[in-house]
Amino acid sequence: MPFFIIKGDPVKYAEKIKADVLVVPSRNRDRQYMSYRFDPPFYSLRKPLAAAREPLGYIRECRVAASEYRIADVSVVFVSAKYPMDHDELKMQMYLRKCYHHILSWAEKAEIKSIVIPLLGFGAYDELNEKTAVEAVGVHIRMTRTDLNIYLVLPPDIRPVYIEDTAELPGTPKTAEYDDIYAQYDRKFEEELRLSGIGRAEFCKNRLYKYLNSRIENAEQLSREIDYDKGSICKFRSGKIAKPRKHRVIAMAIGMGLSDEERYDLIKCAGYRYPEDERDRIVESLMRSGCRDFKAINEKLCDISPEFALNAASRENAPRERSAKDI
C-alpha cells in the first residue's frame, strides 16, 4: 500500500483526504493542575482536544488511545509522547521507532484503512526525526505487508513534498559516520583473502573455525546468555551447521565479546551482509555507544519491534539452518 510523505498541516490534510484517523501527540499530565500539552499543528484545537483527552486518563508511553472526538468526520486518536529530555539522539531514535510501531500496529488491529501521522519528536531535530520516521514506517511495511494507507505529515518549514510507494521504498539509510569503517573492514578482508591464495569458501570456513574455537570458552554459558541451544552452537563450531540464521550469528558475535571488526568479520564469514538493515544498524549503534550486554541490547531491540529480537525462535516456514551436508 502507498506510503505518502507530505508537508503541511496534519489537521487540514486529514480533512482534505477524508482520512479514517488523525494521530494527535499528547503528553500525559504530570500534575493534577497541569493541562495536556499539544504540538504546534494542534494549538488552535487545544480546548476541544483537551476535553476529548481528559476521559482517557493516563496513556502508557507510545501507546494509542481512541477518543470520541472527530474533526470533519475524521476520528482522532491520541498517542502519548514524553520524549527523552536529555536530547540524546540515539534514545530519541529508539523512542520514536517504538512510537511509530505502536501506532501502526494499533491501526492494523483496528482495521483502519488510512491514517495521518504528524512528524513526532523535538522540532529542533526535524531532519533526524524525518529520517527515523521513514526508516521505522518502511521497516514496518516490509515486515507486515500492511494494507494500511500511511500519510506522514512533515512541518511546512522543512523539505519539499515527495511521495513514495512501498514498492519503491529505499533501503534503510546508512549510518554515515560508520560507513567508512565498514568499507575499511571489507577492503582488509578482501586483501587478506587475496593474499591467502585459497578460495573464498575455504577462507571463510577457516576464519569461522578460528573465532568459534578460540573465543567460545564455555558453550553452555554462551547458550544461556543468548538463549540459543548449546547443541546448535557446538554444531556450528564443528561445521555440522554451516549457516545459522542471521540473528543467531549476530547474537553469538555479541555474546562472544568480539571487537567491532571481529563482529563484522564473523557475520561476513557466516555468509551475511552486515550491517544491512535497520536492526543491524541499531545493534551497531548500541554496541558502539558502549552497550555490550546481550540482554540489554536485545531488550532495546524488542522495545522497538518484537521482530528485531535476537533470540527469536525460527519460524516454521523460515528456511532451516543449513547443515554441512546441504552444501
Side-chain angles (χ1 to χ4, degrees), residues 2-13:
F3 170 29
F4 299 93
I5 307 175
I6 50 106
K7 69 174 182 178
D9 184 321
V11 178
K12 292 180 179 178
Y13 192 76

Side-chain angles (χ1 to χ4, degrees), residues 45-108:
L45 296 169
R46 287 196 301 271
K47 289 184 179 180
L49 286 175
R53 173 74 175 77
E54 183 66 27
L56 301 175
Y58 182 81
I59 305 173
R60 288 177 57 198
E61 285 190 22
C62 293
R63 302 292 174 167
V64 177
S67 73
E68 296 182 0
Y69 184 62
R70 299 174 74 85
I71 301 173
D73 211 33
V74 177
S75 295
V76 169
V77 300
F78 296 94
V79 58
S80 63
K82 190 175 181 180
Y83 309 116
M85 295 308 295
D86 59 5
H87 291 215
D88 179 274
E89 291 190 3
L90 179 60
K91 289 182 183 177
M92 174 69 76
Q93 286 181 296
M94 292 175 62
Y95 184 87
L96 294 178
R97 289 188 185 104
K98 183 178 179 180
C99 284
Y100 288 115
H101 170 71
H102 283 302
I103 290 169
L104 298 177
S105 295
W106 172 86
E108 288 165 358

Side-chain angles (χ1 to χ4, degrees), residues 6 20 29 48 82 91 99 133-134 153 155 157 169 171 185 196 206 232 241 245 248 265 268 271 299:
I6 50 106
D20 291 335
R29 292 196 299 188
K82 190 175 181 180
K91 289 182 183 177
C99 284
V134 173
V153 182
D157 58 343
L169 279 175
Y185 294 162
S196 72
N206 292 344
S232 294
I241 292 178
R245 290 175 62 80
R248 294 299 194 185
D265 213 29
K268 182 180 178 70
E299 284 177 5

Side-chain angles (χ1 to χ4, degrees), residues 174-273:
K174 295 181 179 180
T175 309
E177 61 265 38
Y178 297 147
D179 284 347
D180 289 344
I181 296 175
Y182 300 132
Q184 179 181 325
Y185 294 162
D186 201 57
R187 286 194 295 269
K188 182 178 177 182
F189 177 92
E190 294 299 329
E191 178 63 13
E192 291 176 354
L193 169 61
R194 185 184 66 81
L195 293 174
S196 72
I198 60 178
R200 183 177 295 270
E202 187 66 20
F203 182 81
C204 288
K205 180 179 178 181
N206 292 344
R207 285 222 161 172
L208 284 175
Y209 181 86
K210 181 190 74 172
Y211 285 126
L212 297 173
N213 285 276
S214 65
R215 301 300 293 274
I216 299 179
E217 297 180 1
N218 188 322
E220 186 172 347
Q221 181 178 335
L222 178 62
S223 169
R224 288 196 301 268
E225 181 180 349
I226 66 174
D227 196 19
Y228 186 35
D229 69 281
K230 177 184 174 182
S232 294
I233 293 175
C234 292
K235 286 179 181 179
F236 183 37
R237 185 163 61 177
S238 67
K240 292 180 180 178
I241 292 178
K243 190 176 183 180
R245 290 175 62 80
K246 186 178 181 180
H247 69 284
R248 294 299 194 185
V249 180
I250 296 173
M252 290 179 66
I254 296 171
M256 289 161 64
L258 301 180
S259 68
D260 295 337
E261 183 175 359
E262 289 170 337
R263 182 171 61 255
Y264 176 87
D265 213 29
L266 176 77
I267 297 168
K268 182 180 178 70
C269 286
Y272 294 104
R273 292 179 60 187

